Amino acid sequence: METSTFVYDGDCAFCTSCAEFIERRIPTAARVVPWQFADLDALGLTTAECEEAVQWVGADGSRAAGPDAIAKLLAASGPLWRVAGAGLRIPPVRVAAWPLYRWVARNRHRLPGGTAACSLPQEARERLYGPAGRPTTGA
């Protein structure tokens, strides 16, 4: 793989807002892509992994999830962001980051930019909104 890839849930408005922040504010050579449009097989990822947490697949094939993936993304970014990424890798911070990440993941529909659809599993979202993320019509 030529470039690293950061994978997020493109059906979640909160996650999409975070990804847009990354694209606007964090200088990185990594691709930032919703898992719904990524070649998961080529990345070595499963839908279940991507539904559970953001994912990082490094150009070297390394993988990380959740706050570890965020730390990898930051480490591959500009100087100030690299410091933040290093901070996330400090053992006590890393240990605390996982429960915080899981809390955010469970409550993302309540956070700024989130919608009720953010709280639904992918299967339920597709049933309600279709694979393209738009409400299905009962024709």
Side-chain angles (χ1 to χ4, degrees), residues 8 12 15 31 46-47 51 64 73 80 84 97 102 110-112 116:
Y8 68 95
C12 171
C15 300
R31 289 183 329 129
T46 66
T47 300
E51 285 181 337
L73 171 76
L80 291 176
R102 298 231 185 272
R110 294 184 179 110
L111 297 172

Side-chain angles (χ1 to χ4, degrees), residues 16-78:
T16 300
S17 294
C18 292
E20 289 170 354
F21 176 85
I22 291 166
E23 291 174 336
R24 281 192 319 271
R25 304 275 189 235
I26 301 178
T28 181
R31 289 183 329 129
V32 178
V33 61
W35 70 260
Q36 293 87 347
F37 297 107
D39 183 350
L40 297 183
D41 289 336
L43 293 170
L45 298 171
T46 66
T47 300
E49 290 171 321
C50 294
E51 285 181 337
E52 186 172 319
V54 295
Q55 302 291 320
W56 171 267
V57 180
D60 61 357
S62 63
R63 292 184 38 194
D68 296 334
I70 295 167
K72 294 272 191 182
L73 171 76
L74 295 174
S77 301

Side-chain angles (χ1 to χ4, degrees), residues 87-103:
L88 270 175
R89 290 190 304 275
I90 296 170
V93 175
R94 184 175 183 265
V95 168
W98 271 102
L100 179 61
Y101 181 87
R102 298 231 185 272
W103 183 88

